[in-house]
Amino acid sequence: PYEGRFRLQMPGMATPADLRVISLHAKSGSSAADWAERRNDFLQLKAYLDAAANNSARYIVMGDYNDRITTSITSGQESSFKMFHDDAANYRVITRNLDSLGFQSQDFSATSMIDHIVVSNELFANVVPGTSRVAAPQIFIPSYNATTSDHWPVFARFDFTGATPADAPLAT
């Protein structure tokens, strides 16, 4: 994973918001060995974040998790990153509703939502409820899947201004 630290300053904000964003690409594949490697990686990531959370860091962990949250792409297994969902006091999988509703986040499987966004509890109040989405760039760029990626962008709205959700600026 790649971790970047950003200071977000937008009009209407009283003070800047320091964000830590981790972009990840988890192990692909649906074999038991693939699942075990993914799960181990997520356990290590969670241990890192749990230690960092003691400093009240605002984390957004987003990217290709290569697994679903409601179940796993590996037959007979739970999600390889279920530990984030189970720790609801500290983390929220804000794309879980998309998986529950049957959305897909890539071109090769009509039933897999495998790209996700997880936030730490320091950002719970900033997530605008019900705004997580999967973009459909292939509508505007017909060759997107062949020239850019077989995964589609996943995004959500965050409110760092205290504005009402309808007025909240987009931050992705």
Side-chain angles (χ1 to χ4, degrees):
Y2 168 78
E3 180 178 344
R5 296 177 185 196
F6 304 93
R7 176 157 282 188
L8 178 66
Q9 179 68 56
M10 298 173 65
M13 290 178 66
T15 58
D18 291 324
L19 300 174
R20 294 182 182 181
V21 179
I22 295 178
S23 174
L24 64 83
H25 184 216
K27 172 74 173 96
S28 64
S30 59
S31 74
D34 297 331
W35 179 88
E37 184 175 335
R38 256 193 320 274
R39 181 169 171 78
N40 182 56
D41 290 346
F42 285 126
L43 286 169
Q44 290 181 43
L45 176 60
K46 187 172 181 306
Y48 170 79
L49 293 173
D50 287 347
N54 294 330
N55 298 322
S56 298
R58 295 176 177 145
Y59 272 98
I60 300 172
V61 183
M62 60 186 180
D64 182 356
Y65 282 63
N66 266 313
D67 210 351
R68 298 178 61 198
I69 185 58
T70 56
T71 185
S72 179
I73 64 167
T74 301
S75 181
Q77 296 290 348
E78 64 186 14
S79 171
S80 57
F81 66 103
K82 186 176 181 283
M83 70 285 295
F84 287 102
H85 175 69
D86 290 346
D87 188 357
N90 292 305
Y91 302 98
R92 185 169 297 153
V93 182
I94 63 175
T95 48
R96 186 182 196 289
N97 65 318
L98 300 175
D99 192 7
S100 297
L101 293 169
F103 280 77
Q104 69 186 71
S105 61
Q106 33 49 47
D107 186 45
F108 52 85
S109 173
T111 60
S112 287
M113 179 70 197
I114 61 174
D115 298 272
H116 295 281
I117 303 170
V118 173
V119 297
S120 63
N121 60 358
E122 294 82 6
L123 289 170
F124 286 1
N126 301 105
V127 175
V128 178
T131 62
S132 59
R133 300 281 189 272
V134 177
Q138 68 280 15
I139 293 172
F140 305 103
I141 306 168
S143 62
Y144 180 88
N145 293 343
T147 61
T148 307
S149 177
D150 57 354
H151 291 258
W152 304 326
V154 176
F155 63 95
R157 291 180 68 183
F158 293 80
D159 177 6
F160 293 100
T161 67
T164 59
D167 298 328
L170 274 179
T172 56

